[in-house]
Amino acid sequence: MSVIEVTGGKPLRGEVAVVGAKNSVLKLMAASLLAVGKTTLQNVPNIVDVVIMAELLRRLGCSVQHDVENRSVTIDVPDLIEHRADYDLVRQMRASICVLGPLLARTGQAEVAMPGGDAIGSRGLDFHIAGLHQLGASVTSEHGYLVADTKGMHGASMTLDFPSVGATETLLMAAVLARGVSVIDNAAREPEIVDICSMLETMGAKITGAGTSTLEITGVESLSPTTHHTVSDRIVAGTWAVAATMTGGEITINDCHPEHLEIPLNKLSDMGAEVSSTQTSVKVSMNSRAKAQDIVTLPFPGFPTDLQPQFIALNSVSDGAAMVTENMFEARFRFVQELARLGANVKTDGHHALVRGVERLSGAPVEATDIRAGAGLVLAGLVAEGKTVIHGVEHIDRGYTNFVPDLKRLGADIERVD
Ligand code: UD1
């Protein structure tokens, strides 16, 4: 088991490059199942979840080549594929559920283990199931698996109760091969949805409205394999922006899309950071103590829940008090208990957290319970007095490529100890 040891107090200075988004590439890998032949994904992050998804696709009958050096994954999809995703993989990575739509569309059947709850909340699948019903599939739950089959899917008009990213992706990947026209209303608008739509379009899918609340999909007979460059990870970019602000440093974040981070970057400006963007990079610098700012998480283009722990960490050492409201995942505040071990003053009540800034945190052993909580704890360790030891590093490995080496290069006093 590895731990990360960090001694706080060093401002981070320099440049980092951001690679493709975890939350996009896993879905793009699943989407490759929709076409027979070789699909290549570029700008793939070197994270554990990609390895798990590659294994899942292999078990479905694909051959998968992961070239870590060139950041590419090539998936060769045979004509006949299996249709079962086992619990041993799904329990390691909840996002495995994203094979449900493509499997149904390609084979007319799917058996996908139900992921259950995770460290950030209960996370339902009811919107996925209701939409698949409307597209003409029967979906039941048997022995811990979602068992779906269809004699052929047809276009349908669907309205999501909430703009769920996962449900939008499942229904999109099912609808592209369905007969006729489908409409998904109240669809998610995240940049990762735009990314998968653009890949599906190069495969021959007919989709309009990507990035808006209404997606219209005209089903086609078949799709062709493609080559696609994964959209840059806005959450990783946002984490670097917080790191610059929190440590009183200056980081130029390259290969990112600042327009995907409008609200978080505005928050950092309001906190006192200097933020200047080009189309593909953003420079964030800070030379004073941050002023606490309220945060409310919402679907894109609102403030992303995946940056909430990092901003709680930042608010915890800022001047003043801030109210952080979490609207997506009820258990995300679990990480606050770990932050309190470093001396943070945070009170939670339901989906609100009141963060009162303290002058300084003091290093201690802490446990990361999920990817973003892990990032938040590393950020806190960067400013805490003395040594912070972060356990549960395997969570951070699921979402951040080269995190510790990059932090070190930027001047942090940090080591990964195996
Ligand atoms: C994805 C991201 C996650 C991010 C989240 C919100 C991946 C792998 N994960 O998760 O990092 O935090 O989007 O931006 O891409 N819900 C239901 N029923 C459903 C589906 C969702 O009640 O059928 C609820 C969820 O419990 C949650 C909310 O809707 O409260 C949003 O979930 P969703 O957008 O689906 O998140 P994920 O796709 O799971």
Side-chain angles (χ1 to χ4, degrees):
M1 278 296 172
S2 307
V3 294
I4 292 175
E5 294 186 352
V6 53
T7 303
K10 299 269 171 62
L12 301 190
R13 294 186 192 285
E15 301 198 11
V16 280
V18 179
V19 293
K22 167 183 99 72
N23 286 353
S24 202
V25 76
L26 301 173
K27 326 305 172 63
L28 304 179
M29 289 173 81
S32 73
L33 289 168
L34 291 164
V36 176
K38 271 190 190 170
T39 284
T40 297
L41 300 172
Q42 299 165 334
N43 200 28
V44 173
N46 183 17
I47 52 173
V48 173
D49 279 15
V50 167
V51 176
I52 298 172
M53 184 55 95
E55 179 55 26
L56 175 50
L57 295 180
R58 283 190 194 104
R59 291 211 205 156
L60 293 170
C62 306
S63 100
V64 184
Q65 263 160 2
H66 185 180
D67 183 341
V68 173
E69 198 109 307
N70 286 315
R71 295 205 193 100
S72 73
V73 167
T74 299
I75 302 147
D76 197 351
V77 182
D79 196 14
L80 287 176
I81 52 174
E82 301 292 331
H83 63 270
R84 185 178 163 96
D86 286 320
Y87 184 56
D88 66 318
L89 287 176
V90 177
R91 67 195 280 270
Q92 290 178 53
M93 188 184 68
R94 201 180 186 284
S96 310
I97 196 74
C98 66
V99 297
L100 177 62
L103 287 182
L104 252 185
R106 269 295 307 287
T107 71
Q109 308 176 66
E111 284 177 39
V112 180
M114 282 188 288
D118 62 12
I120 62 170
S122 54
R123 305 179 85 171
L125 292 171
D126 45 338
F127 311 152
H128 302 239
I129 295 168
L132 291 175
H133 271 303
Q134 284 179 276
L135 289 167
S138 93
V139 186
T140 54
S141 145
E142 284 167 37
H143 309 295
Y145 280 73
L146 279 181
V147 178
D149 72 283
T150 177
K151 302 229 167 340
M153 284 189 284
H154 50 74
S157 246
M158 298 161 277
T159 302
L160 300 180
D161 286 0
F162 185 89
S164 151
V165 173
T168 303
E169 288 161 345
T170 294
L171 302 178
L172 179 65
M173 288 191 271
V176 284
L177 290 178
R179 230 177 324 108
V181 177
S182 297
V183 176
I184 308 175
D185 259 322
N186 201 20
R189 292 186 279 163
E190 268 69 1
E192 294 76 27
I193 300 284
V194 176
D195 199 32
I196 193 172
C197 285
S198 96
M199 169 164 155
L200 290 169
E201 282 176 89
T202 66
M203 294 168 84
K206 303 262 174 287
I207 302 167
T208 60
T212 75
S213 298
T214 305
L215 291 171
E216 189 176 303
I217 304 126
T218 305
V220 295
E221 278 285 313
S222 65
L223 296 171
S224 320
T226 189
T227 295
H228 181 83
H229 188 90
T230 312
V231 70
S232 168
D233 197 316
R234 64 198 161 99
I235 304 302
V236 170
T239 303
W240 288 122
V242 175
T245 309
M246 219 166 147
T247 64
E250 178 176 305
I251 305 181
T252 303
I253 305 152
N254 294 318
D255 304 337
C256 65
H257 300 289
E259 82 266 22
H260 295 165
L261 279 170
E262 204 177 325
I263 293 183
L265 292 175
N266 285 344
K267 286 282 171 196
L268 294 179
S269 296
D270 293 345
M271 290 172 126
E274 230 171 84
V275 178
S276 57
S277 307
T278 70
Q279 276 213 321
T280 57
S281 76
V282 56
K283 183 159 99 180
V284 180
S285 63
M286 183 70 164
N287 55 18
S288 57
R289 185 175 178 205
K291 291 189 284 294
Q293 286 294 318
D294 294 346
I295 305 289
V296 179
T297 68
L298 283 171
F300 190 84
F303 187 96
T305 174
D306 287 351
L307 281 176
Q308 179 257 92
Q310 298 88 319
F311 271 74
I312 287 199
L314 171 55
N315 269 320
S316 78
V317 289
S318 296
D319 183 22
M323 182 66 84
V324 176
T325 304
E326 171 58 54
N327 288 314
M328 316 287 270
F329 297 116
E330 70 274 12
R332 230 176 187 155
F333 287 148
R334 269 178 52 176
F335 121 101
V336 160
Q337 290 155 17
E338 296 301 306
L339 201 60
R341 293 181 45 71
L342 302 177
N345 180 349
V346 187
K347 279 213 173 87
T348 59
D349 183 5
H351 61 133
H352 300 292
L354 177 61
V355 189
R356 291 191 178 92
V358 294
E359 290 277 345
R360 60 170 197 98
L361 298 175
S362 81
V366 287
E367 176 88 36
T369 45
D370 71 82
I371 307 175
R372 311 304 168 188
L377 291 171
V378 172
L379 294 175
L382 288 171
V383 298
E385 214 174 76
K387 193 193 270 186
T388 299
V389 180
I390 296 125
H391 297 260
V393 172
E394 65 278 7
H395 293 291
I396 300 174
D397 291 340
R398 294 189 41 212
Y400 289 84
T401 304
N402 279 340
F403 199 37
V404 170
D406 279 345
L407 282 163
K408 216 170 174 160
R409 216 171 28 77
L410 294 170
D413 183 351
I414 192 165
E415 290 293 341
R416 184 185 177 115
V417 183
D418 289 317

